Amino acid sequence: MARADLLLKLVMAGNNGDSKLFHRTVEALIAEERSKQHHVLADRLAEVLRSATPSKEAPSLMNDGIRNFFYEIVPNRSLGDLIIPETVLEACIELIEEQHRSELLHSYNLEPRNRILLTGPPGNGKTTLAESIATALMVPMYTVRYEGIIGSYLGETASRLRRMFDYVRTQRCVLFFDEFDAIGKERGDQHETGEIKRVVSSLLLQIDELPSHVIVITATNHPELLDRAVWRRFQLRLSLSKPERVQIEEWFKRFQKKVGLPLGYAPKTLSEKLIGLSFAEIEEFGLDIQRRYVLNMPASDLKTIIRDRLKQWEAKYKLKSDESE
């Protein structure tokens, strides 16, 4: 059975002739039925919604062309896999709880938070965190494809954005914008065209109008490029910086447990040698070790492999050359 608050809103929309409320409520009903695997009913509701929308503005909810606007990912990373600041973890856990207990919040006329802005240098877990939130919420993750969204003709980009948002409104999902500065640029930038400014305005309006069951997560390596109006759209603004020594040490403790063999170097020693690298680079270092271990079998020696890898990485990243254990 549909949520009582949605049925009440539907009656209110019909009684007041509020087409905007009507569309939002039906979109929420469609998402609700899809989450219950009631796809036939959800499709019929979507068809009714299309028929109730003037043909000039009718959203192409099931158009295959929509798939050109994003990559659909089945998330499989969990928050427990991540090594992130405690404040960031707590904020994400709270948002997840709000989404899981949204019916209680709705009964008090409150909405769960659904907009997150992630900042920080590349390779430190912004995309992985977005995927982990989708895993915790048990919803698909849609990563926006800018090559499919950004058009060369006047008005084309804003139109495509509108079509994409029309589709995701009917889904329980995480909508992820990586490198958000590519589309959310400061409108006061004198080097940007009027078209980009219109796109930013359209984008912000669409984000404002998304229902709370769509979690919008944006990530940027260059927060200084974002339009000032972007910042206030997001209830959570979280920063993911390069890992500190204690985080790298924890990573190597988990890595040693994963490979099931002593590394020959203490995790603390390795953390001191690799300080300054991003999590992505540290993960690549670990994969480098594993590859050499497999290729050198059966005479593999982890300590020797790590020592040799450290020498190579020292030259590449100018790391510490001290070989103490």
Side-chain angles (χ1 to χ4, degrees):
M1 182 177 178
R3 287 197 339 239
D5 63 308
L6 293 180
L7 293 175
L8 288 171
K9 286 181 180 179
L10 200 59
V11 172
M12 289 172 57
N15 188 52
N16 298 329
D18 189 337
S19 60
K20 193 172 184 179
L21 178 61
F22 170 78
H23 278 80
R24 285 185 176 180
T25 305
V26 176
E27 288 165 351
L29 281 169
I30 293 170
E32 181 83 5
E33 295 308 316
R34 289 200 194 285
S35 70
K36 298 175 182 176
Q37 305 301 313
H38 298 165
H39 296 295
V40 173
L41 177 56
D43 289 344
R44 292 182 66 182
L45 286 169
E47 183 62 35
V48 170
L49 184 63
R50 285 199 298 276
S51 65
T53 305
S55 58
K56 184 179 179 180
E57 302 177 359
S60 304
L61 292 179
M62 299 302 168
N63 191 324
D64 289 338
I66 293 293
R67 298 295 176 179
N68 294 326
F69 299 159
F70 50 73
Y71 300 102
E72 183 173 355
I73 297 172
V74 178
N76 57 18
R77 302 292 292 268
S78 70
L79 285 173
D81 296 333
L82 306 185
I83 301 173
I84 56 177
E86 193 67 26
T87 53
V88 173
L89 178 61
E90 289 175 358
C92 293
I93 289 174
E94 287 180 357
L95 178 136
I96 291 165
E97 180 189 13
E98 291 173 19
Q99 287 290 331
H100 280 312
R101 305 183 69 188
S102 59
E103 291 192 17
L104 176 60
L105 292 175
H106 289 142
S107 69
Y108 285 88
N109 201 28
L110 295 169
E111 294 290 341
R113 289 176 292 178
N114 68 321
R115 299 190 294 275
I116 307 173
L117 173 62
L118 302 176
T119 63
N124 290 294
K126 296 188 290 294
T127 302
T128 306
L129 179 56
E131 184 179 345
S132 299
I133 291 172
T135 300
L137 294 173
M138 296 177 288
V139 297
M141 174 172 158
Y142 299 142
T143 298
V144 177
R145 297 176 56 184
Y146 294 125
E147 70 274 18
I149 290 289
I150 298 175
S152 57
Y153 297 104
L154 187 67
E156 190 175 27
T157 300
S159 174
R160 291 176 179 179
L161 277 172
R162 187 162 52 250
R163 288 177 60 202
M164 182 189 72
F165 278 109
D166 284 341
Y167 177 80
V168 299
R169 282 191 188 95
T170 65
Q171 312 290 314
R172 287 190 177 275
C173 64
V174 166
L175 181 64
F176 181 60
F177 290 83
D178 197 7
E179 299 182 5
F180 190 56
D181 48 278
I183 198 169
K185 291 181 178 179
E186 169 61 56
R187 284 171 289 184
D189 189 340
Q190 296 179 354
H191 300 289
E192 293 301 342
T193 64
E195 170 69 357
I196 287 294
K197 294 175 182 179
R198 284 189 290 272
V199 167
V200 174
S201 298
S202 175
L203 174 65
L204 297 180
L205 179 62
Q206 295 288 348
I207 288 175
D208 281 343
E209 293 183 346
L210 277 178
S212 60
H213 61 256
V214 178
I215 294 81
V216 181
I217 303 179
T218 61
T220 179
N221 305 328
H222 302 286
E224 72 279 359
L225 298 180
L226 293 180
D227 188 272
R228 284 166 290 181
V230 166
W231 292 87
R232 62 184 177 83
R233 255 70 183 192
F234 294 88
Q235 301 119 329
L236 290 179
R237 297 180 285 274
L238 307 175
S239 177
L240 294 173
S241 56
K242 287 186 176 182
E244 299 176 354
R245 283 184 176 86
V246 65
Q247 293 173 309
I248 300 175
E249 182 179 352
E250 175 61 26
W251 190 93
F252 275 104
K253 287 179 180 177
R254 297 186 185 186
F255 179 72
Q256 184 168 248
K257 185 176 180 180
K258 176 182 176 182
V259 299
L261 295 168
L263 301 179
Y265 285 80
K268 183 177 180 181
T269 300
L270 291 171
S271 72
E272 292 171 351
K273 291 176 178 294
L274 298 177
I275 190 69
L277 298 186
S278 68
F279 272 121
E281 290 164 339
I282 292 168
E283 287 186 1
E284 181 55 38
F285 180 82
L287 289 171
D288 201 6
I289 292 169
Q290 289 178 287
R291 281 191 288 264
R292 299 321 308 171
Y293 183 85
V294 170
L295 292 173
N296 291 342
M297 289 172 62
S300 301
D301 180 72
L302 266 180
K303 183 175 181 179
T304 301
I305 292 171
I306 292 175
R307 183 192 62 204
D308 292 343
R309 296 300 99 185
L310 282 172
K311 287 181 179 179
Q312 290 187 13
W313 283 60
E314 284 162 12
K316 184 177 180 180
Y317 292 102
K318 297 182 180 179
L319 302 173
K320 294 184 178 181
S321 58
D322 179 13
E323 296 184 5
S324 62
E325 296 177 28

